[in-house]
Amino acid sequence: MKAPALEQRKLLDLQAADNRISQLNHSLRTLPQEARLAELQRDSIAARQEFGGVNGELEDARVEISRVEADIETVAAREKRDRERLQASASTKDIQGLEHELASLKVRRSNLEDIELEVMERVEEIELRLAAITARRDDIATEERLLAAQRDEQKERIAAQLAVAQSERSAIAAGVGAELLALYERQRERYGIGAALLRGGVSLGSNVALNGTDLAAIRSAAPDDVVLDPDSNCILIRTEESGL
């Protein structure tokens, strides 16, 4: 294939534009906030699950308190009834029975009150744990919002740079002939690089010094001949730096 030497040199600008576009696309795929956001999402899920479990403990404890309080009310009502019956009774046997039952009810009420106090202390401890989980969950949400805003801002900035780079790339490609451009695109798609400078006998496409035979073949090629790097298969661009 033949193409004017000046047109071939434009491929270096085209390759630079493609490199820039690749870098920007890579930056979009690897935004630094994404890893931390993924970690925060896992932390958020764990915090929600922990909150659900501890909140369930709290609900169970509150139900237990309600049940104990109901039992205390029942015992208190029986004590009141027995005292009223005691005051009204004239039977020694009934009085003894009521006094015995009142003593038992007193012990029962004391035990229930101890249980109530214990459960209330447990409720307080659970509420403290729940508050700590809530605070951690809120901190996670705040950091997520801040990082997401930073990520979106950076993504928008990179996207704007990418649009400029793609526009510049299109302008450069417009100055390259269709056949040469098609070869460049084909080589870039196959081998990852479409064109590179030959500098001092070294291909910047492969960073390998060409051997004497290859250099001799390139020296004998006409300026408008399109030559390929024997190692990287990209188009080699010859300039005064090539050392030919």
Side-chain angles (χ1 to χ4, degrees), residues 133-143 145:
I133 296 168
T134 300
R136 186 168 75 253
R137 189 181 61 182
D138 292 345
D139 288 343
I140 291 169
T142 298
E143 187 177 355
R145 286 194 298 271

Side-chain angles (χ1 to χ4, degrees), residues 14-224:
L14 188 59
Q15 183 64 67
D18 282 329
N19 290 344
R20 174 64 173 159
I21 290 170
S22 294
Q23 291 168 356
L24 291 170
N25 279 323
H26 177 73
S27 295
L28 280 177
R29 292 192 301 270
T30 58
L31 289 169
Q33 297 87 0
E34 293 290 5
R36 178 58 180 159
L37 281 168
E39 184 179 331
L40 287 171
Q41 186 175 30
R42 291 192 293 272
D43 291 345
S44 179
I45 291 172
R48 287 199 299 271
Q49 291 174 340
E50 187 178 3
F51 181 91
V54 175
N55 193 53
E57 286 184 49
L58 182 60
E59 290 176 356
D60 290 344
R62 285 173 173 167
V63 168
E64 187 174 354
I65 285 179
S66 297
R67 184 170 61 249
V68 173
E69 287 175 344
D71 289 344
I72 290 173
E73 289 177 3
T74 299
V75 170
R78 288 180 61 184
E79 285 180 312
K80 180 182 178 182
R81 182 197 63 191
D82 285 354
R83 280 193 294 268
E84 291 173 350
R85 289 176 59 193
L86 183 62
Q87 291 174 358
S89 178
S91 167
T92 302
K93 183 179 180 180
D94 289 346
I95 290 172
Q96 289 177 343
L98 289 168
E99 286 177 342
H100 177 73
E101 184 172 341
L102 282 168
S104 298
L105 290 172
K106 182 179 180 180
V107 172
R108 172 63 175 159
R109 180 160 52 82
S110 178
N111 290 337
L112 287 171
E113 287 171 348
D114 288 343
I115 293 172
E116 181 184 29
L117 181 60
E118 178 187 334
V119 178
M120 288 176 68
E121 289 174 349
R122 180 149 40 97
V123 165
E124 184 177 352
E125 183 271 331
I126 295 171
E127 287 176 338
L128 288 174
R129 279 196 285 142
L130 203 60
I133 296 168
T134 300
R136 186 168 75 253
R137 189 181 61 182
D138 292 345
D139 288 343
I140 291 169
T142 298
E143 187 177 355
E144 279 183 313
R145 286 194 298 271
L146 291 174
L147 277 177
Q150 293 174 8
R151 177 202 60 194
D152 294 344
E153 181 182 352
Q154 187 169 353
K155 185 182 292 185
E156 186 177 344
R157 183 169 61 252
I158 294 173
Q161 294 172 348
L162 184 58
V164 171
Q166 289 170 334
S167 177
E168 291 174 348
R169 198 262 185 202
S170 296
I172 296 167
V176 179
E179 188 177 2
L180 180 61
L181 181 61
L183 175 62
Y184 166 86
E185 298 286 18
R186 185 164 60 249
Q187 300 306 98
R188 186 171 68 89
E189 182 177 349
R190 288 178 179 175
Y191 307 108
I193 184 168
L197 177 66
L198 177 64
R199 176 185 289 162
V202 176
S203 166
L204 299 189
S206 60
N207 291 315
V208 173
L210 274 64
N211 61 41
T213 301
D214 291 332
L215 284 174
I218 292 173
R219 286 192 189 98
S220 65
D224 61 349

